[in-house]
């Protein structure tokens, strides 16, 4: 009996410890990160020019915020931390040589690691924040702005690089980016909400092919042809909260099925 109690107490202790050390990585979007959480970081757009075991080098193309006189800067590895195991803060995880990125960087003003160099930069913590975006084929891609729905990261998908740079450097904020995204999404309308059986979707967008209805569990419940406006019969869906996303992972709107 005592052995059974000891085992139960041991299992309970392990459970409590695992809960206390568990980490939930729910990242904030880039705009929220750089404007609210890390407002003092230097933000640059550049190309990764070198990668080694302790960091990466970035050739600066544009400075979006802050001051930096060098054309090539060093990003050193951050400090690993223990959260149900060690999570790498290696700067090399940011990207590969010749990758183009936008990144918010904390300047090193105190030494935490033996490899730190005052005045250089350290890899920002990436697990609860979105500190970098990819630049591909003239577009900025990543979790730029948005929210979560059932574990799905909902963002504006991509943004033209030239417009992103111009907007941010001119205004030092993401306001125009967010507003542009909202204007874009206003071309998609759904009603009624709440809905019992028939949902009407109206779209003036010619850049999307499909719309997806997600349940809060993150499972797709329907795929809709976005090229034509037509009523959707949702009588088969159970009562609950759902979301409609475009094929670019833009959140159109949440709705309630009754």
């Amino acid at each position: 009996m005592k052995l059974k109690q000891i085992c139960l107490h041991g299992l309970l202790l392990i459970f409590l410890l695992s809960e206390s050390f568990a980490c939930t990585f729910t990242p904030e979007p880039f705009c929220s990160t750089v404007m609210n959480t890390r407002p003092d970081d230097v933000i640059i757009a550049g190309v990764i020019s070198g990668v080694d075991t302790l960091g990466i080098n970035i050739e600066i193309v544009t400075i979006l915020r802050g001051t930096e006189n060098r054309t090539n800067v060093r990003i050193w590895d951050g400090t690993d931390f223990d959260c149900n195991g060690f999570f790498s803060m290696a700067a090399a995880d940011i990207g590969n040589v010749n990758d183009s990125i936008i990144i918010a960087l904390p300047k090193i003003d105190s030494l935490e690691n033996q490899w730190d160099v005052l005045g250089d930069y350290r890899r920002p913590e990436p697990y609860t924040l979105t500190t970098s975006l990819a630049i591909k084929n003239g577009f900025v891609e990543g979790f730029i702005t948005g929210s979560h729905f059932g574990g799905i990261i909902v963002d504006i998908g991509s943004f033209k690089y030239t417009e992103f740079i111009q907007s941010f450097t001119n205004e030092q904020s993401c306001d125009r980016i967010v507003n542009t995204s909202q204007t874009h999404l206003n071309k998609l309308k759904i009603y009624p909400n709440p809905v019992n059986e028939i949902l009407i979707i109206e779209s003036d967008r010619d850049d999307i092919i499909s719309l997806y209805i997600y349940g809060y569990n993150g499972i797709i419940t329907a795929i809709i042809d976005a090229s034509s406006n037509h009523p959707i019969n949702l009588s088969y869906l159970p009562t609950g909260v759902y979301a409609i996303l475009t094929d670019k992972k833009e959140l159109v709107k949440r709705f309630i099925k009754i």
Side-chain angles (χ1 to χ4, degrees), residues 77-244:
D77 289 357
T79 304
D80 287 346
F81 58 96
D82 191 9
C83 176
N84 284 344
F86 284 98
F87 283 78
S88 171
M89 284 288 288
D93 291 342
I94 294 172
N96 301 311
V97 173
N98 295 326
D99 284 353
S100 296
I101 62 173
I102 292 173
I103 187 167
L105 295 172
K107 185 164 284 191
I108 298 175
D109 55 11
S110 61
L111 302 180
E112 293 182 2
N113 310 292
Q114 62 181 6
W115 53 81
D116 284 346
V117 175
L118 295 176
D120 278 355
Y121 299 94
R122 181 182 294 125
R123 185 187 184 184
E125 189 271 298
Y127 297 107
T128 58
L129 306 171
T130 301
T131 52
S132 63
L133 302 169
I135 303 171
K136 297 179 180 179
N137 301 318
F139 285 84
V140 179
E141 299 180 353
F143 189 19
I144 302 172
T145 184
S147 60
H148 292 261
F149 183 84
I152 305 167
I153 292 179
V154 179
D155 57 37
I156 64 172
S158 62
F159 205 90
K160 285 185 179 179
Y161 172 77
T162 52
E163 294 180 8
F164 185 98
I165 296 297
Q166 182 180 12
S167 173
F168 203 99
T169 52
N170 287 350
E171 302 174 18
Q172 291 292 287
S173 76
C174 279
D175 291 346
R176 185 182 297 181
I177 297 167
V178 174
N179 292 338
T180 300
S181 171
Q182 192 57 50
T183 300
H184 207 43
L185 293 178
N186 284 342
K187 294 182 179 180
L188 284 158
K189 298 179 181 179
I190 67 167
Y191 58 90
N193 188 12
V195 59
N196 184 13
E197 291 186 0
I198 305 300
L199 184 71
I200 307 298
I201 300 177
E202 295 181 355
S203 172
D204 292 330
R205 296 271 300 273
D206 56 7
D207 61 327
I208 58 174
I209 299 172
S210 301
L211 296 172
Y212 300 86
I213 297 180
Y214 283 84
Y216 199 75
N217 55 7
I219 297 175
I220 297 176
T221 59
I223 301 176
I224 304 164
D225 180 7
S227 61
S228 59
N229 298 326
H230 52 80
I232 309 298
N233 190 333
L234 299 180
S235 59
Y236 66 94
L237 289 180
T239 299
V241 179
Y242 295 85
I244 295 181

Side-chain angles (χ1 to χ4, degrees), residues 28-29 31-41 65 128-129:
E28 295 183 31
C31 283
S32 175
T33 294
V34 299
M35 301 310 302
N36 303 323
T37 311
R38 307 196 65 90
D40 299 323
D41 283 2
R65 185 176 72 191
T128 58
L129 306 171

